[in-house]
Amino acid sequence: MSKIIIIGSGIGGLATANLLAKAGHEVHVYEKEAGPGGRAGQFKKDGFTFDTGPSWYLMPDVFEHYFELLGTSTKKQLDLVQLKPAYKVFFEGGDTITITGDLEKDAETFEAVETGAGESLKKYVEKSDETYQLSLKHFLYSNFTNPADFLHSDITKRAGRMLVLATTSIDSYVKKFVTHQYLKQILEYPMVFLGTSPFNAPALYSLMSALDFKEGVFYPRGTMYVVVERLVALGKEFGVQYHYKCPVKRIVVSNGAASGIELESGPKIEADIIISNADLHFTETKLLDAQNQSYPEKYWAKQQASPSALLLFLGIKGKVPEFEHHTLLFVEDWKANFNAIYNTKMTPEKASLYISKTSQTDASTAPKGHENIFVLVPLPAGISLTPKQNTDLTAHYLNQIKTMTGVDLASRTVSQTTFGPDDFKTKYHSWQSSMLGPSHKLSQSAFFRTPNKSKKVTNLYYVGSGTVPGIGVPMCLIGAELIYKRLAGIKRGGRVQTIEPFKEHF
């Protein structure tokens, strides 16, 4: 049995702790905050409850597989509700489109906007699902350490198509199926959740549409934070020990191997293996001495961060029937919006933004007669805002929401809290104040993404959105399994079926 320390209690850290504890090891999780979750946290104020991070429950089969590895199931751990409709979109021109999650109905909606778009949507989703299934089988659950994985017939016979998807932007790819601006935006918006732009993201990520239109969008009652609570509860069953309010000052390296951690409060704790779920840039540049950094500042200077964000947590008096559980606002000048975020680094005058209203599905998240409204406005990475700028931008974007939807949130707000770029940096040690980590442009995806193992320090590993396979709760669950495979010496791609003890391969 090895003693393993995990730095950070985000989804990736918690999920990894459970798998390694089930494999028979002594696992300790050290977290600087007072409770678990990291960016997937929960915020409560004035009777309102909000998720502070992920709010879309996608890829249900990934959750199911993960819970099965722990001897349980999604049904036993979560109370899932499929959202019907899946989401609603407001366009700057005043039109709205509601996506139901029923492909036949959504194809009719597309057809009503553009002749032939209904069949095009079905073809797009069919191809998206094929890419998704291929990725699940061969790419997402891989540490890319076994070249033979790429010689599988599933991959070789689709090599040409995969090459096209990898070298074509999703914006260019979508144009082959639909031409109306509204429909293009609906098929391209998931790139925001991957921290990238549809004009820069590879068309491989068209697989996201298979989730929206075919698998559906779900919600775990109690908010997404219930996932965190269940991971911790399972961890306790397996003997994981959690240490909160224990920020780590540095990773101790002895003779080229990670041998423990030093807390900011002074104590040094020895361990056989160190796994960092903290921000990867912070881990490499702050927790390690210069000679032990595999990815120093000069490495990050060449990387692209996902956007930062302004988050609004609003308690609203009265009901807001105009919004669904998930609501999106898309501005007319789609390309200029992304250009402001990624290229000119300017705060968008008009922003495409996201609104969540969990109180529609879960009455426990707001007092009776009220709604909880969460607003996410993507902003350029690396910016800093003063408190006054946060306040001014809040008023500005609430006015935009009023203009585009007719809903005057400002006049009905009874509770308001903002969380801006500087908060991401302070609370999460976030690189470039990013809300998600490195973006998913091609050169930062799949086998190009920063590996989950230090190149210079033995027994030092990484898990979370900064490393493989990438951004999102399902990706972090997969990332936990990739760490288990690393330590257990499993080099083949694909899912493991059981968690077994390991001793010799780390």
Side-chain angles (χ1 to χ4, degrees), residues 364-397:
S364 70
T365 60
K368 187 175 181 180
H370 294 72
E371 303 272 29
N372 71 334
I373 299 292
F374 168 84
V375 181
L376 185 157
V377 184
L379 298 177
I383 68 169
S384 179
L385 299 176
T386 66
K388 185 180 186 304
Q389 287 175 314
N390 271 331
T391 300
D392 291 345
L393 283 178
T394 296
H396 176 79
Y397 291 121

Side-chain angles (χ1 to χ4, degrees), residues 123-317:
K123 291 178 182 177
Y124 184 88
V125 172
E126 180 183 358
K127 292 181 180 295
S128 297
D129 187 57
E130 181 180 312
T131 303
Y132 175 53
Q133 298 302 329
L134 190 69
S135 297
L136 276 178
K137 190 174 181 180
H138 298 291
F139 297 111
L140 293 178
Y141 286 88
S142 175
N143 282 310
F144 305 108
T145 56
N146 184 9
D149 286 342
F150 300 101
L151 300 178
H152 194 282
S153 60
D154 282 353
I155 298 174
T156 56
K157 69 182 181 182
R158 295 176 176 85
R161 179 169 179 269
M162 296 300 284
L163 180 62
V164 170
L165 292 177
T167 56
T168 303
S169 75
I170 195 163
D171 178 69
S172 298
Y173 180 69
V174 165
K175 288 177 183 175
K176 298 177 182 178
F177 295 87
V178 295
T179 59
H180 196 284
Q181 172 80 348
Y182 292 174
L183 306 185
K184 285 173 55 186
Q185 287 176 310
I186 288 172
L187 295 180
E188 292 178 5
Y189 90 89
M191 298 309 100
V192 176
F193 297 143
L194 292 174
T196 190
S197 159
F199 303 97
N200 198 21
L204 285 169
Y205 290 123
S206 60
L207 62 86
M208 296 290 288
S209 290
L211 310 180
D212 276 2
F213 292 97
K214 188 169 184 178
E215 291 203 343
V217 181
F218 295 82
Y219 170 77
R221 289 194 187 277
T223 77
M224 281 290 288
Y225 191 70
V226 169
V227 175
V228 171
E229 293 175 330
R230 297 313 306 153
L231 290 177
V232 172
L234 288 168
K236 290 179 178 178
E237 291 180 17
F238 290 112
V240 177
Q241 298 181 54
Y242 302 92
H243 309 268
Y244 301 117
K245 296 183 179 180
C246 289
V248 174
K249 181 178 181 180
R250 70 185 184 101
I251 296 169
V252 179
V253 178
S254 304
N255 299 318
S259 58
I261 59 172
E262 180 182 348
L263 301 180
E264 286 189 0
S265 57
K268 294 181 179 179
I269 300 102
E270 294 183 349
D272 301 300
I273 300 169
I274 305 296
I275 302 165
S276 182
N277 181 222
D279 180 273
L280 187 48
H281 169 266
F282 174 77
T283 300
E284 276 283 324
T285 63
K286 302 299 182 184
L287 298 185
L288 289 169
D289 295 334
Q291 68 270 23
N292 296 319
Q293 295 173 9
S294 302
Y295 309 104
E297 286 291 357
K298 63 181 181 181
Y299 172 86
W300 296 97
K302 300 177 182 178
Q303 300 293 297
Q304 181 189 75
S306 67
S308 187
L310 175 65
L311 309 181
L312 311 180
F313 303 94
L314 307 175
I316 303 298
K317 185 176 182 179

Side-chain angles (χ1 to χ4, degrees), residues 314 316 320 323 355 373 375 398 401 407-413:
L314 307 175
I316 303 298
V320 188
F323 297 164
I355 298 171
I373 299 292
V375 181
L398 288 179
I401 292 171
V407 179
D408 185 358
L409 294 175
S411 68
R412 297 165 56 187
T413 298

Side-chain angles (χ1 to χ4, degrees), residues 374-451:
F374 168 84
V375 181
L376 185 157
V377 184
L379 298 177
I383 68 169
S384 179
L385 299 176
T386 66
K388 185 180 186 304
Q389 287 175 314
N390 271 331
T391 300
D392 291 345
L393 283 178
T394 296
H396 176 79
Y397 291 121
L398 288 179
N399 187 60
Q400 179 190 321
I401 292 171
K402 179 182 178 180
T403 301
M404 289 183 65
T405 70
V407 179
D408 185 358
L409 294 175
S411 68
R412 297 165 56 187
T413 298
V414 296
S415 178
Q416 177 175 308
T417 302
T418 63
F419 190 95
D422 297 88
D423 298 304
F424 279 98
K425 188 173 183 179
T426 301
K427 188 174 180 66
Y428 306 127
H429 295 307
S430 180
W431 171 57
Q432 292 285 306
S433 302
S434 163
M435 63 173 166
L436 301 170
S439 74
H440 271 287
K441 64 177 184 177
L442 178 59
S443 62
Q444 295 175 185
S445 299
F447 39 80
F448 296 121
R449 202 159 183 85
T450 308

Side-chain angles (χ1 to χ4, degrees), residues 476-498:
C476 290
L477 295 179
I478 295 172
E481 187 170 327
L482 294 181
I483 291 294
Y484 167 78
K485 291 173 72 172
R486 281 272 194 192
L487 297 179
I490 301 171
K491 294 185 177 181
R492 66 180 182 276
R495 292 170 167 173
V496 299
Q497 298 306 309
T498 58

